[in-house]
PDB file of all heavy atoms in Angstrom:
ATOM      1  N   MET U 248     155.663  99.200 135.835  1.00  0.00           N
ATOM      2  CA  MET U 248     156.496  98.105 135.315  1.00  0.00           C
ATOM      3  C   MET U 248     156.126  97.759 133.880  1.00  0.00           C
ATOM      4  O   MET U 248     154.956  97.782 133.512  1.00  0.00           O
ATOM      5  CB  MET U 248     156.285  96.854 136.169  1.00  0.00           C
ATOM      6  CG  MET U 248     157.348  96.698 137.234  1.00  0.00           C
ATOM      7  SD  MET U 248     157.365  95.007 137.793  1.00  0.00           S
ATOM      8  CE  MET U 248     158.565  95.096 139.092  1.00  0.00           C
TER       9      MET U 248
ATOM     10  N   LEU H 153     164.546  90.549 134.159  1.00  0.00           N
ATOM     11  CA  LEU H 153     163.539  90.446 135.208  1.00  0.00           C
ATOM     12  C   LEU H 153     162.732  89.150 135.092  1.00  0.00           C
ATOM     13  O   LEU H 153     162.556  88.419 136.069  1.00  0.00           O
ATOM     14  CB  LEU H 153     162.600  91.651 135.116  1.00  0.00           C
ATOM     15  CG  LEU H 153     161.590  91.786 136.242  1.00  0.00           C
ATOM     16  CD1 LEU H 153     162.280  92.163 137.531  1.00  0.00           C
ATOM     17  CD2 LEU H 153     160.547  92.838 135.882  1.00  0.00           C
ATOM     18  N   VAL H 156     164.775  86.054 135.938  1.00  0.00           N
ATOM     19  CA  VAL H 156     164.997  85.867 137.375  1.00  0.00           C
ATOM     20  C   VAL H 156     163.708  85.429 138.070  1.00  0.00           C
ATOM     21  O   VAL H 156     163.728  84.655 139.020  1.00  0.00           O
ATOM     22  CB  VAL H 156     165.562  87.161 137.997  1.00  0.00           C
ATOM     23  CG1 VAL H 156     165.660  87.039 139.507  1.00  0.00           C
ATOM     24  CG2 VAL H 156     166.922  87.473 137.405  1.00  0.00           C
ATOM     25  N   ALA H 157     162.570  85.905 137.565  1.00  0.00           N
ATOM     26  CA  ALA H 157     161.283  85.583 138.204  1.00  0.00           C
ATOM     27  C   ALA H 157     160.846  84.137 137.945  1.00  0.00           C
ATOM     28  O   ALA H 157     159.995  83.602 138.654  1.00  0.00           O
ATOM     29  CB  ALA H 157     160.216  86.547 137.704  1.00  0.00           C
ATOM     30  N   LEU H 160     160.294  81.289 140.656  1.00  0.00           N
ATOM     31  CA  LEU H 160     159.135  81.544 141.508  1.00  0.00           C
ATOM     32  C   LEU H 160     157.849  81.279 140.735  1.00  0.00           C
ATOM     33  O   LEU H 160     156.925  80.653 141.232  1.00  0.00           O
ATOM     34  CB  LEU H 160     159.149  82.998 142.009  1.00  0.00           C
ATOM     35  CG  LEU H 160     160.134  83.323 143.127  1.00  0.00           C
ATOM     36  CD1 LEU H 160     160.004  84.786 143.523  1.00  0.00           C
ATOM     37  CD2 LEU H 160     159.895  82.433 144.340  1.00  0.00           C
ATOM     38  N   THR H 165     154.140  80.974 142.358  1.00  0.00           N
ATOM     39  CA  THR H 165     153.987  82.345 142.847  1.00  0.00           C
ATOM     40  C   THR H 165     153.344  83.188 141.748  1.00  0.00           C
ATOM     41  O   THR H 165     153.595  82.955 140.570  1.00  0.00           O
ATOM     42  CB  THR H 165     155.369  82.932 143.193  1.00  0.00           C
ATOM     43  OG1 THR H 165     156.037  82.018 144.050  1.00  0.00           O
ATOM     44  CG2 THR H 165     155.255  84.274 143.895  1.00  0.00           C
ATOM     45  N   PRO H 167     152.762  85.963 139.063  1.00  0.00           N
ATOM     46  CA  PRO H 167     153.764  86.669 138.258  1.00  0.00           C
ATOM     47  C   PRO H 167     154.113  88.046 138.823  1.00  0.00           C
ATOM     48  O   PRO H 167     155.279  88.455 138.793  1.00  0.00           O
ATOM     49  CB  PRO H 167     153.101  86.783 136.890  1.00  0.00           C
ATOM     50  CG  PRO H 167     152.130  85.665 136.834  1.00  0.00           C
ATOM     51  CD  PRO H 167     151.642  85.479 138.243  1.00  0.00           C
ATOM     52  N   ILE H 168     153.133  88.740 139.354  1.00  0.00           N
ATOM     53  CA  ILE H 168     153.380  90.088 139.868  1.00  0.00           C
ATOM     54  C   ILE H 168     154.329  90.044 141.061  1.00  0.00           C
ATOM     55  O   ILE H 168     155.332  90.763 141.122  1.00  0.00           O
ATOM     56  CB  ILE H 168     152.046  90.771 140.260  1.00  0.00           C
ATOM     57  CG1 ILE H 168     151.196  90.980 139.000  1.00  0.00           C
ATOM     58  CG2 ILE H 168     152.300  92.100 140.975  1.00  0.00           C
ATOM     59  CD1 ILE H 168     149.797  91.472 139.273  1.00  0.00           C
ATOM     60  N   LYS H 169     154.029  89.132 142.001  1.00  0.00           N
ATOM     61  CA  LYS H 169     154.877  88.962 143.182  1.00  0.00           C
ATOM     62  C   LYS H 169     156.273  88.519 142.774  1.00  0.00           C
ATOM     63  O   LYS H 169     157.280  89.035 143.279  1.00  0.00           O
ATOM     64  CB  LYS H 169     154.264  87.888 144.088  1.00  0.00           C
ATOM     65  CG  LYS H 169     153.600  88.419 145.332  1.00  0.00           C
ATOM     66  CD  LYS H 169     153.298  87.219 146.214  1.00  0.00           C
ATOM     67  CE  LYS H 169     152.716  87.608 147.553  1.00  0.00           C
ATOM     68  NZ  LYS H 169     152.178  86.411 148.238  1.00  0.00           N
ATOM     69  N   ALA H 170     156.318  87.566 141.835  1.00  0.00           N
ATOM     70  CA  ALA H 170     157.600  87.013 141.403  1.00  0.00           C
ATOM     71  C   ALA H 170     158.475  88.109 140.807  1.00  0.00           C
ATOM     72  O   ALA H 170     159.671  88.208 141.098  1.00  0.00           O
ATOM     73  CB  ALA H 170     157.366  85.894 140.384  1.00  0.00           C
ATOM     74  N   ARG H 171     157.855  88.972 139.997  1.00  0.00           N
ATOM     75  CA  ARG H 171     158.633  90.037 139.350  1.00  0.00           C
ATOM     76  C   ARG H 171     159.091  91.081 140.352  1.00  0.00           C
ATOM     77  O   ARG H 171     160.181  91.636 140.233  1.00  0.00           O
ATOM     78  CB  ARG H 171     157.807  90.695 138.241  1.00  0.00           C
ATOM     79  CG  ARG H 171     157.466  89.739 137.123  1.00  0.00           C
ATOM     80  CD  ARG H 171     156.598  90.427 136.116  1.00  0.00           C
ATOM     81  NE  ARG H 171     157.351  90.796 134.935  1.00  0.00           N
ATOM     82  CZ  ARG H 171     157.218  91.948 134.304  1.00  0.00           C
ATOM     83  NH1 ARG H 171     156.389  92.845 134.747  1.00  0.00           N
ATOM     84  NH2 ARG H 171     157.932  92.203 133.228  1.00  0.00           N
ATOM     85  N   LYS H 172     158.257  91.334 141.347  1.00  0.00           N
ATOM     86  CA  LYS H 172     158.611  92.316 142.352  1.00  0.00           C
ATOM     87  C   LYS H 172     159.868  91.837 143.091  1.00  0.00           C
ATOM     88  O   LYS H 172     160.832  92.593 143.280  1.00  0.00           O
ATOM     89  CB  LYS H 172     157.444  92.491 143.323  1.00  0.00           C
ATOM     90  CG  LYS H 172     157.479  93.789 144.092  1.00  0.00           C
ATOM     91  CD  LYS H 172     156.132  94.054 144.756  1.00  0.00           C
ATOM     92  CE  LYS H 172     156.316  94.995 145.936  1.00  0.00           C
ATOM     93  NZ  LYS H 172     156.691  94.305 147.172  1.00  0.00           N
ATOM     94  N   HIS H 173     159.831  90.568 143.464  1.00  0.00           N
ATOM     95  CA  HIS H 173     160.955  89.979 144.182  1.00  0.00           C
ATOM     96  C   HIS H 173     162.198  89.939 143.285  1.00  0.00           C
ATOM     97  O   HIS H 173     163.315  90.234 143.728  1.00  0.00           O
ATOM     98  CB  HIS H 173     160.555  88.583 144.643  1.00  0.00           C
ATOM     99  CG  HIS H 173     161.452  88.021 145.688  1.00  0.00           C
ATOM    100  ND1 HIS H 173     162.060  88.789 146.643  1.00  0.00           N
ATOM    101  CD2 HIS H 173     161.850  86.750 145.917  1.00  0.00           C
ATOM    102  CE1 HIS H 173     162.791  88.025 147.421  1.00  0.00           C
ATOM    103  NE2 HIS H 173     162.698  86.775 147.007  1.00  0.00           N
ATOM    104  N   ALA H 174     161.976  89.602 142.012  1.00  0.00           N
ATOM    105  CA  ALA H 174     163.089  89.524 141.065  1.00  0.00           C
ATOM    106  C   ALA H 174     163.770  90.892 140.926  1.00  0.00           C
ATOM    107  O   ALA H 174     165.001  90.988 140.860  1.00  0.00           O
ATOM    108  CB  ALA H 174     162.587  89.034 139.707  1.00  0.00           C
ATOM    109  N   ALA H 175     162.966  91.950 140.912  1.00  0.00           N
ATOM    110  CA  ALA H 175     163.529  93.299 140.781  1.00  0.00           C
ATOM    111  C   ALA H 175     164.421  93.619 141.975  1.00  0.00           C
ATOM    112  O   ALA H 175     165.500  94.209 141.824  1.00  0.00           O
ATOM    113  CB  ALA H 175     162.393  94.319 140.658  1.00  0.00           C
ATOM    114  N   GLU H 176     163.990  93.200 143.171  1.00  0.00           N
ATOM    115  CA  GLU H 176     164.793  93.447 144.371  1.00  0.00           C
ATOM    116  C   GLU H 176     166.147  92.749 144.282  1.00  0.00           C
ATOM    117  O   GLU H 176     167.193  93.336 144.583  1.00  0.00           O
ATOM    118  CB  GLU H 176     164.051  92.947 145.619  1.00  0.00           C
ATOM    119  CG  GLU H 176     162.850  93.806 146.004  1.00  0.00           C
ATOM    120  CD  GLU H 176     161.920  93.082 146.981  1.00  0.00           C
ATOM    121  OE1 GLU H 176     162.317  92.027 147.524  1.00  0.00           O
ATOM    122  OE2 GLU H 176     160.806  93.575 147.169  1.00  0.00           O
ATOM    123  N   ILE H 177     166.110  91.493 143.860  1.00  0.00           N
ATOM    124  CA  ILE H 177     167.358  90.722 143.807  1.00  0.00           C
ATOM    125  C   ILE H 177     168.292  91.274 142.733  1.00  0.00           C
ATOM    126  O   ILE H 177     169.506  91.377 142.928  1.00  0.00           O
ATOM    127  CB  ILE H 177     167.052  89.234 143.539  1.00  0.00           C
ATOM    128  CG1 ILE H 177     166.156  88.734 144.663  1.00  0.00           C
ATOM    129  CG2 ILE H 177     168.343  88.433 143.430  1.00  0.00           C
ATOM    130  CD1 ILE H 177     166.443  87.390 145.166  1.00  0.00           C
ATOM    131  N   LEU H 178     167.706  91.660 141.592  1.00  0.00           N
ATOM    132  CA  LEU H 178     168.536  92.236 140.531  1.00  0.00           C
ATOM    133  C   LEU H 178     169.182  93.533 141.015  1.00  0.00           C
ATOM    134  O   LEU H 178     170.331  93.837 140.695  1.00  0.00           O
ATOM    135  CB  LEU H 178     167.690  92.485 139.274  1.00  0.00           C
ATOM    136  CG  LEU H 178     167.465  91.244 138.417  1.00  0.00           C
ATOM    137  CD1 LEU H 178     166.385  91.494 137.372  1.00  0.00           C
ATOM    138  CD2 LEU H 178     168.765  90.822 137.735  1.00  0.00           C
ATOM    139  N   ASP H 179     168.442  94.284 141.808  1.00  0.00           N
ATOM    140  CA  ASP H 179     168.979  95.502 142.393  1.00  0.00           C
ATOM    141  C   ASP H 179     170.182  95.148 143.276  1.00  0.00           C
ATOM    142  O   ASP H 179     171.237  95.777 143.207  1.00  0.00           O
ATOM    143  CB  ASP H 179     167.863  96.172 143.212  1.00  0.00           C
ATOM    144  CG  ASP H 179     168.285  97.540 143.723  1.00  0.00           C
ATOM    145  OD1 ASP H 179     169.216  98.118 143.120  1.00  0.00           O
ATOM    146  OD2 ASP H 179     167.694  98.017 144.696  1.00  0.00           O
ATOM    147  N   VAL H 208     169.214  82.196 143.308  1.00  0.00           N
ATOM    148  CA  VAL H 208     169.002  82.412 144.740  1.00  0.00           C
ATOM    149  C   VAL H 208     167.597  82.907 145.076  1.00  0.00           C
ATOM    150  O   VAL H 208     167.229  82.975 146.241  1.00  0.00           O
ATOM    151  CB  VAL H 208     170.049  83.389 145.335  1.00  0.00           C
ATOM    152  CG1 VAL H 208     171.453  82.869 145.094  1.00  0.00           C
ATOM    153  CG2 VAL H 208     169.888  84.791 144.764  1.00  0.00           C
ATOM    154  N   ILE H 209     166.807  83.238 144.057  1.00  0.00           N
ATOM    155  CA  ILE H 209     165.532  83.911 144.336  1.00  0.00           C
ATOM    156  C   ILE H 209     164.593  83.061 145.193  1.00  0.00           C
ATOM    157  O   ILE H 209     163.798  83.583 145.972  1.00  0.00           O
ATOM    158  CB  ILE H 209     164.829  84.365 143.028  1.00  0.00           C
ATOM    159  CG1 ILE H 209     163.669  85.307 143.354  1.00  0.00           C
ATOM    160  CG2 ILE H 209     164.346  83.173 142.222  1.00  0.00           C
ATOM    161  CD1 ILE H 209     163.072  86.013 142.167  1.00  0.00           C
ATOM    162  N   THR H 210     164.693  81.750 145.091  1.00  0.00           N
ATOM    163  CA  THR H 210     163.782  80.896 145.863  1.00  0.00           C
ATOM    164  C   THR H 210     164.337  80.556 147.238  1.00  0.00           C
ATOM    165  O   THR H 210     163.711  79.807 147.979  1.00  0.00           O
ATOM    166  CB  THR H 210     163.500  79.580 145.112  1.00  0.00           C
ATOM    167  OG1 THR H 210     164.761  78.973 144.824  1.00  0.00           O
ATOM    168  CG2 THR H 210     162.744  79.811 143.832  1.00  0.00           C
ATOM    169  N   GLN H 211     165.525  81.082 147.566  1.00  0.00           N
ATOM    170  CA  GLN H 211     166.223  80.672 148.791  1.00  0.00           C
ATOM    171  C   GLN H 211     166.266  79.155 148.861  1.00  0.00           C
ATOM    172  O   GLN H 211     165.675  78.534 149.735  1.00  0.00           O
ATOM    173  CB  GLN H 211     165.495  81.211 150.022  1.00  0.00           C
ATOM    174  CG  GLN H 211     166.123  82.469 150.553  1.00  0.00           C
ATOM    175  CD  GLN H 211     165.739  82.703 152.002  1.00  0.00           C
ATOM    176  OE1 GLN H 211     165.758  81.786 152.815  1.00  0.00           O
ATOM    177  NE2 GLN H 211     165.400  83.930 152.310  1.00  0.00           N
TER     178      GLN H 211
END
Side-chain angles (χ1 to χ4, degrees):
Chain U
M248 263 199 184
Chain H
L153 187 70
V156 174
L160 284 181
T165 309
I168 295 172
K169 254 191 176 168
R171 296 177 103 222
K172 201 166 157 275
H173 196 34
E176 288 164 12
I177 301 220
L178 279 168
D179 187 22
V208 303
I209 192 169
T210 55
Q211 262 201 44

